[in-house]
Amino acid sequence: MDKAVAINPATLPLVEPASFAGRLAAMPLRSKFSAALGVAALAGVVLAMTMWSSKGDFKVLYANLSDKDGGAVIAQLSQMNVPYRMSEGGAAIMVPAAQVHDLRLKLATAGLPKGSVSGYELMDNARFGQTQFQERLTAQRGLEGELTRSITSLAAVQNARVHLALPNQNGFFREQQKPSASVLLTLHPGRALDRAQVAGIVHLVSSSVPELDPKAVSVLDQSGALLTSGGDGLSAASGLDAHQLQYVNQVESGYNKRIVELLEPIVGRDNLRASVTADIDFSQSEATSEEFRPNQGADAKVSIRSQQTSEQSSANGATASGIPGAASNQPPVNATAPITGPAQALQTAQNGGGNSANGRRDATTNYEVDKTVRVTRNATGNVRRLNAAVVVNNRSTTDAKGKTTTQPLTSEELDKLTALVRESIGFKQDRGDSVKVINAPFKTEPSVPGGADVPLWKQPEVIDLLRSLAVPVGLAIVALLVFFGLLRPALKATLAPPPKPAPGAALTEVVDDRNELPALPAPKSVEHLSAARTLAKENPAAVAGIVRDWVSGETAAAKQGA
């Protein structure tokens, strides 16, 4: 057996790795495997984040393309090595946001998208030998395409289809049929066409087709609702056009406002509900009357229009008759004729010589006759009947202790409120108006904080933000888990400094053979060590004897082994 050599602990150097590679090589196999797995996972996370960030933000390049145009655009983008994505359902082609405008210009240079609507360019591809029916059908398709392009240029219209019914014209004028047209509109979400815009579309179509009456143009939206009025100018649903409906709404809202403003100071705010229904007469009537008044009264002023008088007289040689003397020799008196009434008889003079004279006078007088012409036109929009309904909440009273109670209104109070409502709307009994005021308790529901607002986690903006942040946040969490779970323990074990020897510890013997010395058993607990220290302080002589026995026993054993 080799001899044991006693070495001074002060002169024994500590054995530790000289570099980071040496420390890494001295790590256990399990720690090396964990470190390698952590480095690979972290490299994968970094690569994924790099690829995700390189895609950037995608925006819509073209939307609602036909299958033919969409395929042509995608083929062109593939040739240009431009990344693209299809939105949900394939309704839009999305490209990186920084290249949207540049790609649109390049695709426009290549003639893309061509568009599924064809106009008069169909006439450029006319084939030789086509029939008259084909020529007429091609011209009709071109006109429909041009109208479609014009209508889709409106801001609120997303897509449109125009159908023209152009009958064949013959030589018989009475048998000729008038053309008609139908327009189907697809509006953008959240947008609508007002009456003026619909009238503009109707005027555009009717002006583009010869002899097309605007009443023969029908415009529908994507839900099938008829946007144009019927042939009589009235809506098929309610019998009123848009202007008349707007006028009715204004009249009813005006009466409602009067009732609310009059009763709110009495019953309190939000303690009444009022509704007024107005029956408006939009019929138009016109009456013309002529009145003739003869001017025969005493106070009537006579106006002669024309007057004509003719006289005729003749004398004969008859014998004189009568009483001779001066009376028979007098000349006749001048005749007087009244303005109105029968003419006086013509006087005949007779002389004593027996001669007689015959006379005739005709007088014609024309007078102006009074004439009155009256044209009466009734105003449209007259109120034929009003129906008002008012509901009033119970009266609320609060006592000194803060307790709130409700009490119904008395019949006298309801009569007073009814009288106020009648006066506010101009109640007329002969017109058939009706006013009803009732008292009923209002049902109050507990208010929810924020009202009917959508929760924050359900708002579209928040959902889009979470979707955009899901990928980077997930990759960041995975990177942190890999670092703290796999890499950090290995780095900590590798970069940790070597442990320093405890004070007083010394290496007593080094055995140069291959036999390993048994290690001293570790103290069972900290309490035993504390008890030993306490014993050494209280009875140092006993502790010294124990140590002396240990040393003497080890020495004896060493000597016997030698």
Side-chain angles (χ1 to χ4, degrees), residues 189-209:
R191 297 188 181 182
L193 295 176
D194 56 11
R195 184 176 178 84
Q197 291 175 325
V198 175
I201 294 176
V202 172
H203 184 72
L204 172 66
V205 176
S206 61
S207 301
S208 302
V209 180

Side-chain angles (χ1 to χ4, degrees), residues 252 255-264 266-268 270-277 387-394 409 413-425 434-442:
E252 293 178 350
Y255 285 123
N256 285 331
K257 185 177 180 181
R258 293 181 186 178
I259 296 174
V260 172
E261 290 180 352
L262 186 62
L263 299 186
E264 264 193 354
I266 301 175
V267 299
D270 297 334
N271 283 329
L272 79 155
R273 298 292 184 270
S275 176
V276 178
T277 303
N387 298 324
V390 181
V391 181
V392 183
N393 192 13
N394 290 343
L409 301 180
E413 292 176 340
L414 290 178
D415 293 340
K416 292 180 181 179
L417 296 178
T418 303
L420 290 177
V421 174
R422 290 182 176 180
E423 294 297 330
S424 63
I425 65 173
S434 64
V435 175
K436 187 66 175 179
V437 180
I438 65 173
N439 174 223
F442 287 4

Side-chain angles (χ1 to χ4, degrees), residues 4-263:
V5 180
I7 302 175
N8 187 5
T11 61
L12 183 64
L14 295 175
V15 180
E16 59 181 60
S19 61
F20 176 78
R23 293 183 179 182
L24 188 61
M27 292 177 56
L29 181 61
R30 182 177 180 181
S31 299
K32 292 181 180 179
F33 179 75
S34 300
L37 182 62
V39 171
L42 188 61
V45 171
V46 172
L47 180 61
M49 294 185 67
T50 304
M51 293 179 63
W52 179 83
S53 61
S54 63
K55 292 182 179 180
D57 186 15
F58 278 72
K59 289 188 176 181
V60 177
L61 178 64
Y62 293 111
N64 300 321
L65 293 178
S66 61
D67 296 339
K68 184 178 180 180
D69 289 340
V73 171
I74 290 177
Q76 188 69 20
L77 293 177
S78 300
Q79 294 180 2
M80 299 169 62
N81 296 325
V82 177
Y84 64 88
R85 291 189 303 183
M86 303 296 295
S87 63
E88 298 180 359
I93 301 176
M94 306 179 67
V95 296
Q99 304 179 14
V100 171
H101 302 288
D102 189 16
L103 290 176
R104 285 180 180 175
L105 294 176
K106 292 181 179 179
L107 292 175
T109 304
L112 295 175
K114 296 181 179 179
S116 58
V117 179
S118 300
Y120 284 131
E121 60 269 14
L122 294 174
M123 308 298 294
D124 300 336
N125 301 324
R127 295 175 298 176
F128 179 75
Q130 61 181 359
T131 62
Q132 184 180 3
F133 173 76
Q134 293 177 346
E135 292 180 356
R136 186 172 63 253
L137 184 60
T138 303
Q140 180 177 344
R141 289 179 56 193
L143 181 57
E144 291 176 352
E146 294 296 332
L147 290 175
T148 301
R149 290 177 178 177
S150 301
I151 295 173
T152 52
S153 62
L154 299 177
V157 179
Q158 183 178 4
N159 195 7
R161 295 192 65 182
V162 179
H163 303 277
L164 298 178
L166 304 179
N168 296 330
Q169 302 297 333
N170 50 30
F172 300 95
F173 181 77
R174 295 181 179 179
E175 296 180 0
Q176 290 182 358
Q177 298 179 358
K178 297 296 182 180
S180 60
S182 299
V183 181
L184 178 61
L185 302 178
T186 301
L187 305 179
H188 288 285
R191 297 188 181 182
L193 295 176
D194 56 11
R195 184 176 178 84
Q197 291 175 325
V198 175
I201 294 176
V202 172
H203 184 72
L204 172 66
V205 176
S206 61
S207 301
S208 302
V209 180
E211 298 182 1
L212 178 58
D213 190 2
K215 296 181 180 180
V217 180
S218 301
V219 181
L220 291 82
D221 60 1
Q222 67 270 23
S223 62
L226 183 63
L227 302 181
T228 55
S229 59
D232 54 352
L234 300 178
S235 176
S238 60
L240 301 177
D241 59 12
H243 292 288
Q244 294 173 352
L245 289 175
Q246 183 179 5
Y247 178 75
V248 172
N249 293 331
Q250 290 178 356
V251 172
E252 293 178 350
S253 61
Y255 285 123
N256 285 331
K257 185 177 180 181
R258 293 181 186 178
I259 296 174
V260 172
E261 290 180 352
L262 186 62
L263 299 186

Side-chain angles (χ1 to χ4, degrees), residues 516-529:
E516 296 181 359
L517 297 177
L520 294 177
K524 295 182 179 180
S525 62
V526 182
E527 297 179 356
H528 294 174
L529 182 58

Side-chain angles (χ1 to χ4, degrees), residues 336-345 363:
T336 59
I339 296 179
T340 60
Q344 296 180 357

Side-chain angles (χ1 to χ4, degrees), residues 2 10 143 145 169 219 291 336 448 468 483 506 517 533:
D2 295 337
L143 181 57
Q169 302 297 333
V219 181
E291 297 179 359
T336 59
V448 180
S468 61
F483 178 77
L517 297 177
R533 291 177 179 176

Side-chain angles (χ1 to χ4, degrees), residues 52 88 460-472:
W52 179 83
E88 298 180 359
E461 297 81 2
V462 178
I463 294 176
D464 295 340
L465 180 61
L466 293 178
R467 287 179 179 176
S468 61
L469 296 179
V471 175

